């Protein structure tokens, strides 16, 4: 049995990078559409502007992830991208609510979204760089928990600040929190020794070439990522319209109902990592997808508000099983020298789904004329993801890996 155990303190500290990213995107998505509405009357054009970050994510995150793999500095591979990118994003964020015309606002938004895409893959790569392979599901649970806390801080604190001082205060608060997160990373997080070794040495440590079966598994996992984010993104984007049109809920009640799903995901993020380590990541993901299909299928015809809330409450648990265990499967196939590249692949497929899904479901809804098809659409997407996962044969750790009790020992470090 491996003696490796999760360093919970170090994992929490490196999670501040994801925490900063989550705060920024939560405030961005909450308030930028309202700022754009002051300059643009077309909702479609506002939506088009709001997809810029997804387009940049698809194009640039794999590029910068690969660049970080090849970077060699005394600060490590990932930190230079974070040290440069995060302050630029914080500065741009403080400017966003002060732009007094569309062109200046668009210029700042483009700078912000581009630079965010430059440091997202490197900051996510810190977790697998620092965490041993058998413990990455558990560590990813902690990282996502911190990301969820960042979103909650953005929504609740940002909402209070908005009521006190309008748009500038939530953006300023987010910029300050981003810079504090950078200080935590700079002071407390050190990249591991292998990050400084020449690439040829890393090749000796862990081979970079995947065999035919490993490549097949990688592609199947990535298409699974595309399909399950296709289903999730449609529900996240259109649930309020579904609820107001089919369940006669107010927009406020619909938003609070959807938040149940997010809160249970947050509460189950860490346990989902433990479960994935115990029973296997692939099996945990399949259980999660199956659970989502079982819960969402009755919602096609469901008219009871409280039953809908119960299904969403349970759905958050199953979504955690899927989301928390998927990235470690991709990284398991990367080897130490290509973690950033493979994280870029992961984001390429997940961000592609976020571009395709709203358009595809919007077209389907226009054809059928009602929103009940939303959960049928999601179930089909989750079922397609299950099909891809059935044929995956790689992405797990070896059987002599650390178990949950060894992770708990890390709490005492």
């Amino acid at each position: 049995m491996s003696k490796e155990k999760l360093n919970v303190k170090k994992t929490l500290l490196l999670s501040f990078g994801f925490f900063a990213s989550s705060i920024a995107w939560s405030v961005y998505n909450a308030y930028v559409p309202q700022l754009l509405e002051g300059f643009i009357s077309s909702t479609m054009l506002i939506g088009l502007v709001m997809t810029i970050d997804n387009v940049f994510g698809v194009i640039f995150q794999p590029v910068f992830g690969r660049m970080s793999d090849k970077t060699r500095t005394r600060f490590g591979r990932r930190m230079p991208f974070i040290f440069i990118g995060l302050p630029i994003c914080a500065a741009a964020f403080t400017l966003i609510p002060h732009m007094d015309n569309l062109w200046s606002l668009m210029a700042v938004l483009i700078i912000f979204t581009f630079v965010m895409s430059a440091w997202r893959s490197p900051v996510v790569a810190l977790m697998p760089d620092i965490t041993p392979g058998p413990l990455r599901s558990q560590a990813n649970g902690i990282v996502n928990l911190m990301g969820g806390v960042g979103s909650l801080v953005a929504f609740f604190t940002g909402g209070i600040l908005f009521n006190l001082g309008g748009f500038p205060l939530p953006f300023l608060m987010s910029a300050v929190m981003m810079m504090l997160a950078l200080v935590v990373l700079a002071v407390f997080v050190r990249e591991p020794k292998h990050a400084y070794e020449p690439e040829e040495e890393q090749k000796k440590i862990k081979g970079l070439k995947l065999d035919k079966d490993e490549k097949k598994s990688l592609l199947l996992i990535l298409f699974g990522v595309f399909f399950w984010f296709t289903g999730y993104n449609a529900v996240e984007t259109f649930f309020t319209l579904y609820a107001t049109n089919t369940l006669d809920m107010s927009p406020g009640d619909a938003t609070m109902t959807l938040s149940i799903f997010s809160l249970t995901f947050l509460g189950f993020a860490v346990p989902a990592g433990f479960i994935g380590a115990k029973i296997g990541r692939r099996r945990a993901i399949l259980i999660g997808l199956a659970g989502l299909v079982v819960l969402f299928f009755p919602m096609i015809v469901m008219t009871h508000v409280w039953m809908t809330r119960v299904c969403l409450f349970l759905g958050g648990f199953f979504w955690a099983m899927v989301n928390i265990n998927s990235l470690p499967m991709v990284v398991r196939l990367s080897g130490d020298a290509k973690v950033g590249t493979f994280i870029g692949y992961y984001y390429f497929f997940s961000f592609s789904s976020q571009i395709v899904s709203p358009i595809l479901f919007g077209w389907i809804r226009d054809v059928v004329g009602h929103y009940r098809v939303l959960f049928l659409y999601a179930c089909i997407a989750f079922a397609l993801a299950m099909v891809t996962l059935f044929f995956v044969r790689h992405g797990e750790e070896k059987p002599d890996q650390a178990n949950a009790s060894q992770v708990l020992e890390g709490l005492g470090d």
Side-chain angles (χ1 to χ4, degrees):
M1 180 68 70
S2 170
K3 294 183 179 180
E4 294 172 333
K5 57 184 179 180
L6 183 64
N7 189 321
V8 176
K9 180 181 177 181
K10 183 183 291 185
T11 305
L12 284 170
L13 291 170
L14 68 87
S15 298
F16 273 86
F18 198 62
F19 173 84
S21 176
S22 295
I23 284 181
W25 286 124
S26 296
V27 170
Y28 183 92
N29 291 327
Y31 297 111
V32 168
Q34 299 177 55
L35 290 169
L36 289 169
E37 199 171 34
F39 303 104
I40 303 174
S41 59
S42 169
T43 303
M44 183 187 73
L45 289 178
I46 292 174
L48 185 62
V49 172
M50 293 302 292
T51 64
I52 290 175
D53 63 302
N54 292 326
V55 174
F56 281 4
V58 166
I59 297 172
F60 295 115
Q61 284 183 183
V63 174
F64 285 104
R66 182 173 178 81
M67 286 176 60
S68 72
D69 286 336
K70 295 180 177 294
T71 297
R72 298 293 181 270
T73 74
R74 66 189 184 92
F75 301 107
R77 293 185 291 181
R78 320 299 180 190
M79 286 300 185
F81 294 86
I82 301 168
F83 289 160
I84 296 171
L86 212 159
I88 293 174
C89 287
F93 223 52
T94 61
L95 294 176
I96 287 174
H98 296 287
M99 297 297 99
D100 57 4
N101 62 75
L102 179 60
W103 299 113
S104 61
L105 176 59
M106 285 300 302
V108 177
L109 293 181
I110 289 171
I111 291 170
F112 172 76
T113 52
F114 171 75
V115 179
M116 284 292 287
S117 70
W119 65 273
R120 187 198 295 255
S121 288
V123 80
V124 173
L126 281 176
M127 184 277 287
D129 277 351
I130 292 173
T131 309
L135 303 173
R136 286 172 180 163
S137 285
Q138 301 94 315
N140 199 37
I142 294 174
V143 170
N144 276 268
L145 175 64
M146 286 291 289
V149 171
S151 296
L152 290 175
V153 169
F155 289 137
F156 288 103
T157 307
I160 293 170
L161 291 174
F162 179 85
N163 291 334
L164 292 174
F167 287 108
L169 288 184
F171 285 90
L172 179 61
M173 178 273 296
S174 300
V176 170
M177 296 300 290
M178 291 165 71
M179 292 306 297
L180 289 175
L182 178 62
V183 171
V184 171
L185 292 174
V187 173
F188 296 107
V189 176
R190 295 290 179 271
E191 294 189 39
K193 183 179 179 180
H194 68 70
Y196 306 95
E197 294 171 350
E199 188 169 353
E200 290 302 316
E201 288 300 313
Q202 294 193 36
K203 288 180 181 179
K204 295 177 184 178
I205 297 171
K206 208 165 192 176
L208 296 182
K209 293 188 67 175
L210 301 180
D211 62 32
K212 183 178 179 181
D213 288 340
E214 288 174 327
K215 289 179 180 178
K216 178 181 176 182
S217 287
L218 175 62
L219 283 173
L220 288 169
I221 295 168
L222 291 173
F223 275 109
V225 168
F226 176 86
F227 286 129
W228 64 62
F229 274 109
T230 293
Y232 170 78
N233 182 261
V235 172
E236 182 183 47
T237 303
F238 292 100
F239 178 81
T240 55
L241 287 171
Y242 158 84
T244 54
N245 283 277
T246 65
L247 301 178
D248 295 324
M249 297 174 66
S250 70
D253 287 343
T255 302
M256 287 189 290
T257 297
L258 184 59
S259 71
I260 294 171
F261 186 91
S262 300
L263 288 172
T264 51
F265 165 79
L266 181 61
F268 199 60
V270 175
F274 281 88
I275 292 172
K278 184 70 174 179
I279 68 174
R281 294 163 183 161
R282 174 178 168 274
R283 185 178 297 176
I285 293 172
L286 286 171
I287 291 172
L289 291 168
L292 288 168
V293 171
V294 169
L295 289 168
F296 282 6
F297 193 77
M299 295 175 69
I300 299 169
V301 296
M302 191 177 294
T303 59
H304 197 287
V305 171
W306 280 104
M307 286 302 298
T308 299
R309 288 170 175 162
V310 169
C311 288
L312 289 174
F313 177 84
L314 296 174
F317 290 97
F318 286 108
W319 177 241
M321 295 277 279
V322 176
N323 197 15
I324 297 303
N325 291 293
S326 55
L327 180 65
M329 286 195 78
V330 174
V331 172
R332 176 66 180 85
L333 292 164
S334 69
D336 290 335
K338 284 196 172 182
V339 168
T341 301
F342 277 54
I343 288 175
Y345 296 158
Y346 177 90
Y347 279 121
F348 176 89
F349 279 82
S350 63
F351 274 62
S352 294
S353 72
Q354 294 176 52
I355 296 172
V356 171
S357 191
I359 299 170
L360 176 60
F361 176 77
W363 175 77
I364 292 172
R365 188 269 166 193
D366 289 342
V367 170
V368 300
H370 60 78
Y371 281 97
R372 289 197 179 279
V373 74
L374 174 62
F375 287 98
L376 176 61
Y377 174 92
C379 286
I380 292 172
F382 293 144
L384 289 172
M386 290 178 69
V387 171
T388 66
L389 263 290
F390 274 124
F391 297 98
V392 170
R393 296 293 179 266
H394 300 274
E396 302 283 4
E397 301 298 333
K398 295 178 181 179
D400 62 340
Q401 306 295 3
N403 58 22
S405 63
Q406 292 167 322
V407 179
L408 292 174
E409 290 176 15
L411 291 167
D413 290 348

